[in-house]
Amino acid sequence: MCELYCKQDTLALRRKHIGPSCKVFFAADPIKIVRAQRQYMFDEKGDKYLDCINNVAHVGHCHPEVVNAALKQMELLNTNSRFLHDNIVEYAKRITSTLPEKLSVCYFTNSGSEANDLALRLARQFRGHQDVITLDHAYHGHLSSLIDISPYKFGKGKDFKKEFVHVAPTPDTYRGKYREDHADPASAYADEVKKIIEEAHKNGRKIAAFIAESMQSCGGQIIPPASYFQKVAEYVHGAGGVFIADEVQVGFGRVGKHFWSFQMHGEDFVPDIVTMGKPMGNGHPVACVVTTQEIAEAFSSSGMEYFNTYGGNPVSSAVALAVLDIIENEDLQGNAARVGSYLTELLNKQKAKHALIGDIRGVGLFIGIDLVKDHQRRTPATAEAQHIIYKMKEKRVLLSADGPHRNVLKIKPPMCFTEEDAKFMVDQLDEILTVLEEAMGAKTDNVISENTPCRTKIPKEAHLELLSEGAPEQKESPSRKRNGLCTEKRSLLSKRLKT
């Protein structure tokens, strides 16, 4: 189908009819995307962009097997899950086979936010407790119940932390309270959770749950230190609470070695509830909560029926089943391990070359580049990160920046990302960093050690450009290809979790 409107008209209509709090990527110079295929997206002029952002299009944009699965089922039947149908039970059987044995009961929803909201209900019903421990900078969804436990959100607005919410330090060994030079950062961070529980008990409160992403995404691509989750689970269970592992962004083989990110912590760690969403349907709205029989029975004992009109409907289940098939048949989990390892290797070479790169961290195809202005102080290079993502866009590579200081470049592409894509992305980043550091007066000709300060001053003109978060108008690419839709219109890291 052709465009309905030219880009400027689309922008004008968006400003008129879409809520102002609904932001777009690259707001200073947004891209109008009209189609996508695998790890590439195309704008209205036919320009091709390498997508390093979309962990939602898990098996690749518009995968034909996903499209066909949806089409075939839509031609037959789509109805709610109160009618008996094979697809929902087949998916429940398949997904639980990837999890530890005790995680055997599924509840289907439409989004990760719904899944996390339901997980809180399960946890609170289980023992009758109410309080929740969450991590600083965490984000678990857009529902009111989840904004309450998401410091990433309530810390930025006018909302204040509720009395039933307790915020533990993010287990960040690069920028956090206990760093890589600490003798036992896992125990130190876990003890912070223990202190929170003890203080809550003193005040007559009871802990229902500890919730955490298995790898924190919005918080800056944080990989918890080994044994942290085991220790936290011990303290939480001792308080009568449950451990909720949020796999909405990081599950389904993204870490490479394991299907679920929490499995990196070893077989002796099993969460009580696991939530999943985004990649589950490759962009189709489907999500799930998986828990134990004991917790499910406690939830049922309340007498309240759980019913979700669209959760697990035949079409959603068919799409989700197709995603599982593709992950297996195309060895996308293995690809995440191979390409992720290669990409991390390339990025670590860039870290040795560029003063702006303070840390490279991640597993599989979930990687963060922490940009700093000073290696010793680890001063976040926030404006520089914004500058870089706009410059990468000019080079047809889509990246985003996140973390509490918005200085961490996030890499979480579709799982069909190749070594050639990784090399192309890193080459573009290298060029941009070289030019930027020269403009800043940074010395990039020597390897920068972790203990060597790299204090740089940004020229006034460059500083203004960085703060604008904008980018110059894109020039016509000589290699542009039409999209075919409407052409007439045109070491220190050793303390980290080992996997």
Side-chain angles (χ1 to χ4, degrees):
M1 123 179 215
C2 295
E3 297 174 75
L4 294 175
Y5 308 101
C6 69
K7 182 175 178 179
Q8 291 307 313
D9 286 349
T10 302
L11 281 167
L13 285 166
R14 184 179 178 99
R15 284 192 291 267
K16 181 178 180 180
H17 296 297
I18 305 299
S21 57
C22 301
K23 307 298 184 182
V24 295
F25 282 128
F26 312 106
D29 182 27
I31 311 171
K32 185 177 183 181
I33 296 297
V34 298
R35 74 178 182 99
Q37 192 68 39
R38 292 179 63 79
Q39 64 271 46
Y40 303 106
M41 304 182 84
F42 299 83
D43 68 13
E44 81 283 6
K45 296 173 289 188
D47 287 333
K48 181 173 76 171
Y49 294 83
L50 177 61
D51 181 6
C52 302
I53 294 174
N54 265 296
N55 58 333
V56 178
H58 194 65
V59 300
H61 291 281
C62 304
H63 195 292
E65 291 181 29
V66 173
V67 174
N68 289 336
L71 177 62
K72 287 174 66 176
Q73 185 57 53
M74 287 177 75
E75 289 178 332
L76 288 174
L77 171 72
N78 197 22
T79 186
N80 69 61
S81 55
R82 279 180 168 171
F83 289 100
L84 196 62
H85 196 274
D86 288 343
N87 286 3
I88 189 171
V89 295
E90 175 63 12
Y91 190 85
K93 183 181 77 170
R94 295 260 314 261
I95 201 65
T96 53
S97 72
T98 68
L99 291 159
E101 185 176 0
K102 79 169 192 174
L103 293 167
S104 60
V105 182
C106 300
Y107 296 89
F108 289 88
T109 67
N110 305 291
S111 69
S113 289
E114 282 190 18
N116 281 332
D117 176 77
L118 178 58
L120 292 181
R121 288 176 60 192
L122 289 168
R124 285 169 167 154
Q125 178 64 31
F126 184 50
R127 301 284 190 207
H129 300 177
Q130 290 299 310
D131 288 25
V132 177
I133 302 174
T134 187
L135 294 177
D136 203 5
H137 314 307
Y139 174 66
H140 294 290
H142 65 84
L143 301 182
S144 296
S145 63
L146 305 174
I147 297 297
D148 286 345
I149 64 164
S150 297
Y152 179 82
K153 287 294 185 182
F154 72 65
K156 296 178 181 178
K158 295 180 180 179
D159 292 331
F160 297 98
K161 184 176 75 67
K162 304 293 194 300
E163 62 179 353
F164 58 82
V165 177
H166 311 275
V167 179
T170 302
D172 179 357
T173 56
Y174 178 72
R175 192 177 292 286
K177 186 175 181 179
Y178 308 108
R179 300 186 175 183
E180 70 279 350
D181 57 353
H182 191 281
D184 187 0
S187 293
Y189 278 117
D191 284 345
E192 294 286 336
V193 176
K194 183 181 180 183
K195 292 174 189 175
I196 287 172
I197 294 171
E198 291 171 347
E199 187 64 26
H201 286 174
K202 285 180 184 177
N203 294 323
R205 308 199 66 87
K206 296 181 178 180
I207 303 300
F210 172 90
I211 184 169
E213 289 183 281
S214 302
M215 301 186 295
Q216 198 175 53
S217 181
C218 293
Q221 310 292 89
I222 305 301
I223 316 299
S227 79
Y228 169 72
F229 278 168
Q230 282 95 329
K231 295 176 187 296
V232 168
E234 179 184 347
Y235 297 144
V236 172
H237 289 154
V242 301
F243 193 112
I244 302 171
D246 180 346
E247 292 269 340
V248 170
Q249 296 215 53
V250 297
F252 292 90
R254 180 159 292 277
V255 297
K257 188 175 181 181
H258 303 282
F259 198 81
W260 301 106
S261 296
F262 75 78
Q263 292 170 326
M264 294 189 301
H265 294 267
E267 294 183 359
D268 60 333
F269 170 67
V270 180
D272 303 291
I273 301 172
V274 175
T275 60
M276 56 195 76
K278 293 183 190 301
M280 183 173 168
N282 210 52
H284 183 91
V286 59
C288 187
V289 180
V290 186
T291 190
T292 66
Q293 193 70 43
E294 184 182 13
I295 292 174
E297 288 175 356
F299 188 57
S300 179
S301 70
S302 70
M304 183 186 296
E305 177 188 6
Y306 173 73
F307 171 62
N308 188 314
T309 303
Y310 302 111
N313 69 71
V315 172
S316 295
S317 297
V319 166
L321 284 165
V323 170
L324 290 181
D325 288 339
I326 295 163
I327 293 171
E328 181 179 353
N329 296 338
E330 298 184 8
D331 188 27
L332 294 185
Q333 186 178 331
N335 187 67
R338 292 186 295 272
V339 178
S341 177
Y342 175 68
L343 177 54
T344 300
E345 180 183 342
L346 293 178
L347 289 172
N348 276 316
K349 290 179 181 178
Q350 294 300 311
K351 178 177 181 287
K353 179 180 179 182
H354 292 291
L356 275 169
I357 299 179
D359 190 34
I360 303 295
R361 52 180 176 264
V363 185
L365 287 175
F366 181 90
I367 300 171
I369 306 172
D370 199 311
L371 300 178
V372 299
K373 291 188 280 191
D374 183 312
H375 274 240
Q376 189 174 47
R377 294 184 175 87
R378 303 184 180 183
T379 309
T382 301
E384 291 82 354
Q386 297 304 311
H387 175 80
I388 288 167
I389 63 173
Y390 275 93
K391 288 298 182 183
M392 289 292 280
K393 178 174 75 75
E394 289 182 23
K395 292 178 176 290
R396 308 292 186 259
V397 178
L398 303 182
L399 280 176
S400 63
D402 218 328
H405 306 287
R406 298 280 179 177
N407 70 305
V408 180
L409 303 182
K410 293 169 52 171
I411 305 171
K412 47 187 181 65
M415 295 274 281
C416 50
F417 202 73
T418 67
E419 290 188 356
E420 291 75 19
D421 296 325
K423 179 69 164 56
F424 177 75
M425 189 214 79
V426 173
D427 286 347
Q428 309 316 302
L429 182 62
D430 181 21
E431 289 181 16
I432 292 168
L433 286 170
T434 299
V435 172
L436 178 58
E437 288 175 336
E438 287 175 356
M440 295 168 61
K443 295 178 181 179
T444 60
D445 52 344
N446 294 317
V447 173
I448 307 296
S449 76
E450 199 67 23
N451 296 317
T452 303
C454 179
R455 302 179 184 87
T456 60
K457 292 185 178 179
I458 304 175
K460 183 177 180 181
E461 299 82 3
H463 186 66
L464 291 173
E465 180 184 357
L466 295 175
L467 292 178
S468 73
E469 295 188 12
E473 281 294 315
Q474 295 177 185
K475 295 181 179 179
E476 180 81 6
S477 170
S479 60
R480 175 179 295 157
K481 294 181 180 179
R482 291 294 171 191
N483 62 20
L485 291 178
C486 191
T487 55
E488 70 276 14
K489 286 193 175 181
R490 318 165 353 303
S491 55
L492 289 172
L493 303 178
S494 62
K495 295 284 178 68
R496 289 231 181 99
L497 186 64
K498 296 183 184 295
T499 59

